[in-house]
Amino acid sequence: MSFPRKEYPKAEGKKPWSLAEAKTKLAAYCAYQERCQEEVRTKLAERKIFGEDAENLIVLMIEEGFLNEERFAKAYARGKFNLNHWGRNKIQQELKWRKISAYCIKQAMKEIDGEEYWQTIVKLAARKSKAVKEKSDLALRYKTSAYLISRGFEPDLVEEALNEVIPK
């Protein structure tokens, strides 16, 4: 599967950074919250720093511990699951879009507790099935499962959760 190439934002009205200024600004940018390399590249492109200069700054941020893809992936997965109630499929897709390696994605998925994951699916299924105004059980199951799958939960787990929440 191919992902669309991300367009860099226009740098209109933004003053280009010198390399020394970029180093301190990037350190603050990465220290504020976990970032991935693609976000840093985008930030540098906004300030008209490209190519070898950008890559050297990224390497410097990695060496100084400001930038770590695995740490970013783990924090991203935990946050999106705990706060936004996203499923594994959606989290993995977003991490792939951010050009995170398969190894880091695999490590990030280990951050999601299996029992907590199941409880979240059941809770969301129950909440959605109560909110849907359908008389037919088939339509209710369809709309609830479509909602959960769109949130990134696996179809087989969604089916099991629906069997628990909406008995056949």
Side-chain angles (χ1 to χ4, degrees):
M1 173 181 249
S2 176
F3 297 100
R5 179 80 178 128
K6 184 174 181 182
E7 293 296 320
Y8 291 111
K10 304 277 186 282
E12 296 170 17
K14 292 188 177 181
K15 184 182 101 187
W17 287 339
S18 67
L19 291 180
E21 187 180 18
K23 181 183 172 190
T24 57
K25 297 276 188 175
L26 277 184
Y29 180 67
C30 294
Y32 177 71
Q33 84 178 39
E34 292 296 336
R35 308 284 181 182
C36 66
Q37 291 180 24
E38 194 61 23
E39 290 172 333
V40 173
R41 271 189 197 89
T42 302
K43 186 67 149 175
L44 288 170
E46 286 175 0
R47 297 305 182 136
K48 297 184 178 15
I49 298 175
F50 302 99
E52 195 172 314
D53 288 338
E55 294 307 314
N56 289 339
L57 284 167
I58 289 171
V59 167
L60 186 65
M61 292 296 112
I62 292 169
E63 287 172 352
E64 293 182 2
F66 287 106
L67 199 57
N68 183 320
E69 295 268 290
E70 185 176 344
R71 194 174 63 208
F72 167 80
K74 287 179 175 182
Y76 188 87
R78 273 191 314 270
K80 292 303 180 182
F81 174 68
N82 292 330
L83 300 174
N84 296 11
H85 305 296
W86 283 8
R88 288 187 184 112
N89 290 344
K90 189 168 185 173
I91 294 169
Q92 287 175 343
Q93 192 65 36
E94 285 292 318
L95 288 172
K96 284 178 187 173
W97 185 77
R98 289 171 175 4
K99 299 182 180 151
I100 305 298
S101 72
Y103 171 79
C104 291
I105 292 173
K106 187 176 179 181
Q107 294 304 109
M109 291 301 104
K110 291 179 183 176
E111 293 291 304
I112 300 172
D113 177 59
E115 184 58 34
E116 191 177 340
Y117 191 72
W118 173 250
Q119 293 303 321
T120 301
I121 295 173
V122 170
K123 180 180 79 177
L124 289 174
R127 185 185 306 157
K128 185 64 176 179
S129 67
K130 283 180 179 55
V132 171
K133 304 286 188 242
E134 287 293 335
K135 293 181 175 118
S136 157
D137 275 352
L138 184 61
L140 176 65
R141 290 176 72 83
Y142 173 77
K143 286 189 175 185
T144 305
S145 80
Y147 169 76
L148 292 170
I149 290 169
S150 75
R151 306 237 1 136
F153 293 102
E154 297 85 341
D156 57 327
L157 292 177
V158 167
E159 186 62 33
E160 287 180 43
L162 287 176
N163 289 338
E164 192 173 304
V165 173
I166 310 166
K168 288 185 177 180

